[in-house]
Amino acid sequence: MLLSHRARLLELWRIAAIYRIDTHFSIEEAPQLQPLARLIRLHPAAWGKKHQPNAIKYALEDMGTLFLKLGQLLSTRRDLVPPEIIAQLVQLQDKVKPFNSDVAITQIQDPKHGLGQSIGTLFARFDVKPLAAASIAQVHTAALHDGREVVIKVVRPDIRTTIVSDFELLRELASWASARIEAARAVHIIDIVEDYRQVMLNELDLTLEADNTTQMRNNFLGSALMYVPEVYDAAKNVMVMERIQGVPISQVEMFDQLGYDRAALAKKGLTIFFTQVFRDNFFHADMHPGNVFVETPPVQTLHAGMAAVDLGHEPRYIGLDCAIMGTLSKDDQLIVARMLLAVMNDNFTAMVDIVSRAGWIPPNADKHALMRDMKRTVGPMLQKSINDIDFAGVLMQILDIARRHHMSIPPQLMLLLKTLVHVEGLGRDLYPDLDIWSLAKPILSSWIKEQLDPMRNLQQLRQQLPEMLLSTTDIPKLLDQGLQSLASQGSRQDSQLREIQQIRADMLNDRRRDWLALAGFAIFIAIATQVIGWLSPIFYILAILVVVWRILA
């Protein structure tokens, strides 16, 4: 129950009051926030406090990692959040309050969860001042003894307890919503919270991030789209990787100074997303601007008013922070691709048929009504550039349609939709006139054609044929096990039938005892009320004894 989390709720209330975050929202424009603002003002910590610059940023930092992640997601939503708040949320991407460097050094040298050696042994140079600090970890720069420049990622100390506690609170809220709100049940909100909880806990183990980074690096080796730095060493709380030269995708003015084609960058970014989802089935699911960089010359040479530069090749994206990665099952992957292509072709009849075959809607659902609702909601998007599309608003409408038609949306698909919201926010900042449909359609068409190519499927069958032939040697054994299972099932059914018959006989005996006890009780009570003198209590006692007999029998 939520009351079991009252200490955490009171703490969040206190933090909101200390920073007077209510003063950063316009109650006139959002009257639904008025009760919350009034509650914040009632807290003693808010008395005498006034509007504070950067209060939203500081409050989210004090509230913990989960709230930092929420702030990072909202930082890409300039269409939903006022500019003055966006300016604070953007700082959460890489300007979170750092922790003490001595603690970082202790974490690095820790023999259990660190690298187990002294800083001097590991590095020729270690820069005490952090290069950046984020919600989960902070980054220091250093140099190896062979001269290679590296960055060292160190997990924030003691954050696991807070994350676990916050997710317990979030799960209670999800259970409350799931019990009362049909849309919450449709998207499996409890499963989403549980999945994201595991994702966040995995993010605290940098060995997993190192493995993800290596896999994505292998996926894009030699690619003109993206470069993924090499991981040199990793432990649970520490990761050492190649240092890159680049700037966050949000620094669009820098790209203009460097002479980069922002339209080409936007198209390249969207191509990377679809490549990760459909070619590799391994997509970055935490694409806020602090995790998406673009190649530049050495950072020290960047300054205002500089002339355009030539890297010798088209600037690539740089893949960082691969802690949260998503995958889809092969079936869901094909379903999503076919759905998107059907929508792009304005064929909502096919889209509803695909959803129905996937089992995402009940058999008795009104498919015509679903098609009409989807066409009315999604159809107008098809002729618009990314700047004119409110992905978050459309997503909420789609979830409302899912609620009305009792659709069941897999949790991994919700993770993909969350990533799409990130991508849309990035694209909106980088190149608002990007036509995502004309770019995505040939990519999806090519991928689906490849998946359904008979020669490709025949080749896969040929590759699997030796294994299939080997598995045929198990057929006699499987048949024997099947026959034994049928025989044992038959004996179990006989035993269950006998048990049912015995239960039925016991129930009939119990019913007879009930009637006997009831009749005896009624008779003795009737006699007791008719007789007088010392015999009356005896019949009352006999009536009670009949009841006791029935209870104990």
Side-chain angles (χ1 to χ4, degrees):
M1 295 180 59
L2 289 175
L3 286 177
S4 63
H5 300 280
R6 58 187 178 276
R8 180 58 171 157
L9 290 170
L10 290 172
E11 181 186 7
L12 296 175
W13 182 25
R14 179 185 62 80
I15 294 171
I18 288 174
Y19 291 103
R20 287 300 307 273
I21 64 173
D22 58 299
T23 63
H24 289 257
F25 299 97
S26 174
I27 303 302
E28 293 76 16
E29 295 180 6
Q32 65 271 24
L33 295 178
Q34 190 167 0
L36 182 61
R38 189 181 297 116
L39 183 65
I40 291 172
R41 290 195 296 269
L42 284 175
H43 197 286
W47 298 350
K49 298 282 180 62
K50 297 182 179 180
H51 181 87
Q52 306 170 48
N54 272 342
I56 300 291
K57 170 183 179 291
Y58 296 139
L60 292 176
E61 285 179 344
D62 286 356
M63 287 178 178
T65 304
L66 203 57
F67 295 89
L68 281 173
K69 289 288 184 183
L70 175 62
Q72 289 171 351
L73 175 60
L74 291 175
S75 70
T76 66
R77 303 302 309 180
R78 297 181 184 273
D79 55 323
L80 302 178
V81 183
E84 57 273 16
I85 296 179
I86 284 287
Q88 300 182 56
L89 298 180
V90 165
Q91 300 177 58
L92 295 174
Q93 294 162 8
D94 59 359
K95 294 181 181 177
V96 180
K97 187 188 305 180
F99 58 89
N100 192 289
S101 297
D102 291 338
V103 176
I105 292 173
T106 301
Q107 296 252 86
I108 294 170
Q109 297 179 154
D110 180 57
K112 185 175 181 181
H113 299 305
L115 301 180
Q117 299 182 62
S118 68
I119 290 292
T121 303
L122 292 166
F123 308 109
R125 186 195 80 251
F126 177 82
D127 300 324
V128 175
K129 183 180 178 180
L131 176 67
S135 56
I136 295 291
Q138 75 181 26
V139 174
H140 291 262
T141 53
L144 300 178
H145 290 288
D146 60 8
R148 287 177 293 176
E149 289 289 321
V150 297
V151 292
I152 308 161
K153 187 172 183 178
V154 187
V155 172
R156 288 181 172 273
D158 306 322
I159 65 171
R160 177 179 289 270
T161 303
T162 303
I163 289 177
V164 170
S165 174
D166 281 349
F167 267 107
E168 288 176 356
L169 171 59
L170 193 60
R171 195 187 189 288
E172 291 288 350
L173 292 171
S175 298
W176 181 90
S178 186
R180 294 163 176 80
I181 304 172
E182 193 170 354
R185 291 193 294 273
V187 299
H188 303 284
I189 190 169
I190 296 177
D191 292 339
I192 291 172
V193 169
E194 287 297 323
D195 286 350
Y196 199 59
R197 174 183 179 273
Q198 191 57 53
V199 165
M200 286 282 289
L201 292 178
N202 288 345
E203 198 171 356
L204 302 181
D205 187 347
L206 294 186
T207 59
L208 298 177
E209 180 177 343
D211 291 341
N212 290 339
T213 304
T214 300
Q215 181 174 343
M216 194 162 75
R217 175 180 171 83
N218 291 335
N219 289 343
F220 284 90
L221 274 179
S223 171
L225 297 173
M226 185 167 70
Y227 180 80
V228 182
E230 183 179 357
V231 176
Y232 297 134
D233 201 356
K236 186 172 183 179
N237 288 340
V238 183
M239 182 172 69
V240 181
M241 63 190 304
E242 174 188 0
R243 186 175 183 181
I244 49 87
Q245 299 292 341
V247 295
I249 192 68
S250 56
Q251 296 187 15
V252 292
E253 297 84 1
M254 183 65 68
F255 302 142
D256 293 336
Q257 294 173 17
L258 292 169
Y260 289 178
D261 185 344
R262 284 164 58 178
L265 276 178
K267 292 177 181 177
K268 190 174 291 187
L270 198 61
T271 302
I272 289 171
F273 170 74
F274 282 109
T275 301
Q276 289 182 343
V277 173
F278 294 109
R279 187 197 71 181
D280 304 330
N281 194 16
F282 190 70
F283 60 91
H284 201 303
D286 194 23
M287 295 178 65
H288 63 77
N291 288 342
V292 183
F293 277 57
V294 175
E295 279 183 319
T296 66
V299 176
Q300 294 83 353
T301 68
L302 300 180
H303 57 83
M306 65 181 295
V309 298
D310 184 11
L311 288 172
H313 56 79
E314 289 296 319
R316 297 173 294 183
Y317 281 81
I318 299 172
L320 297 174
D321 200 352
C322 301
I324 304 178
M325 306 298 292
T327 59
L328 298 172
S329 70
K330 284 295 182 183
D331 289 341
D332 285 345
Q333 196 182 19
L334 189 57
I335 290 167
V336 169
R338 292 176 63 197
M339 281 175 57
L340 287 173
L341 197 57
V343 169
M344 291 175 192
N345 290 328
D346 200 20
N347 189 349
F348 288 90
T349 303
M351 189 275 293
V352 171
D353 185 57
I354 292 166
V355 170
S356 177
R357 291 176 182 274
W360 293 1
I361 57 175
N364 59 346
D366 187 342
K367 296 181 182 178
H368 182 73
L370 176 59
M371 179 193 69
R372 185 180 62 248
D373 289 346
M374 292 298 290
K375 187 169 185 176
R376 185 183 66 250
T377 301
V378 182
M381 296 171 53
L382 301 178
Q383 306 303 322
K384 296 179 179 180
S385 66
I386 197 169
N387 193 45
D388 298 321
I389 301 173
D390 177 12
F391 268 82
V394 171
L395 177 57
M396 292 308 296
Q397 293 181 54
I398 291 174
L399 294 181
D400 185 55
I401 292 171
R403 175 189 60 79
R404 293 201 307 271
H405 294 276
H406 306 287
M407 288 179 64
S408 178
I409 304 176
Q412 279 296 321
L413 185 59
M414 290 304 301
L415 184 63
L416 179 62
L417 292 174
K418 165 187 172 288
T419 306
L420 270 174
V421 172
H422 272 313
V423 170
E424 181 255 350
L426 296 176
R428 187 187 299 272
D429 288 343
L430 187 60
Y431 185 65
D433 295 325
L434 178 67
D435 183 356
I436 62 174
W437 310 115
S438 62
L439 178 63
K441 188 173 180 178
I443 296 175
L444 289 174
S445 299
S446 174
W447 184 83
I448 291 177
K449 183 178 179 182
E450 179 184 347
Q451 298 303 305
L452 301 179
D453 181 12
M455 295 305 298
R456 178 179 182 273
N457 293 330
L458 187 61
Q459 180 64 29
Q460 288 182 343
L461 180 63
R462 187 178 300 141
Q463 292 174 354
Q464 296 170 0
L465 189 59
E467 184 179 346
M468 294 170 62
L469 291 174
L470 286 173
S471 65
T472 58
T473 58
D474 294 331
I475 291 178
K477 181 179 178 182
L478 292 173
L479 286 173
D480 181 59
Q481 290 176 347
L483 292 173
Q484 291 181 13
S485 176
L486 287 173
S488 61
Q489 187 176 3
S491 63
R492 282 198 302 269
Q493 288 177 344
D494 290 340
S495 175
Q496 290 170 354
L497 180 60
R498 286 193 295 270
E499 289 176 3
I500 292 172
Q501 291 172 340
Q502 182 62 46
I503 291 171
R504 185 172 180 274
D506 292 342
M507 289 175 64
L508 291 174
N509 289 332
D510 286 342
R511 188 175 299 175
R512 281 195 292 269
R513 292 191 188 100
D514 289 341
W515 282 110
L516 286 173
L518 181 62
F521 178 79
I523 291 170
F524 286 132
I525 291 294
I527 295 173
T529 57
Q530 296 298 320
V531 301
I532 56 176
W534 60 273
L535 288 174
S536 178
I538 293 176
F539 285 103
Y540 279 117
I541 293 171
L542 289 173
I544 294 172
L545 289 174
V546 168
V547 173
V548 172
W549 167 78
R550 181 63 195 99
I551 293 173
L552 298 178

